[in-house]
Amino acid sequence: MDNKDVIDELNTLIETCKDGEYGFLSCAEHVKSTSLREVFAQRAADCRQACSELQQLVRQHGGTPEDDGSATGAMHRGWVAVKGTLTGYSDKAMLEECERGEDAAVGRYRKAAQKPLPAGVLEVVQRQLAGVLRNHDQIKLLRDQARNAEKV
């Protein structure tokens, strides 16, 4: 894999991290639960930290790091706002949207982890993938709990 391809792959993951950060912050603004707001704020901070690490790798490889999210992420955040307005920004609805965003992040990280990246870059991608999977599982668990609470 040439250096340009490595930089492109890292920049795609940077966009993914930015999408996650913006998405979690957006959902944090609209949830009613203080504990859920804290979870979303922490996940946003985790995304920001992962982004910073990836931006540093891009610089080390002589590239210019992305500093914004993707168009798809912006559309998803717009959908979160529309859906939130329609559902009254229920905690369950925000968790469902976060889970959809995390599904996309898992897919992008898995795809990157299968590429022939340089060893040091691959190590970072695999470590961050493990974090994305943990985030996804946590959000899914919280979503399931919110769904079950509605049934009671």
Side-chain angles (χ1 to χ4, degrees), residues 8 10 15 19 31 45 56 58 88 108 114 119 127 144 148:
D8 288 347
L10 289 169
E15 288 178 348
D19 290 346
V31 292
Q56 183 59 37
V58 168
R108 287 188 196 118
Q114 294 173 355
R127 181 174 36 77
D144 289 347
N148 290 335

Side-chain angles (χ1 to χ4, degrees), residues 1 11 30 71 109 112-113 144:
M1 182 172 229
N11 275 327
H30 301 293
Y109 267 91
D144 289 347

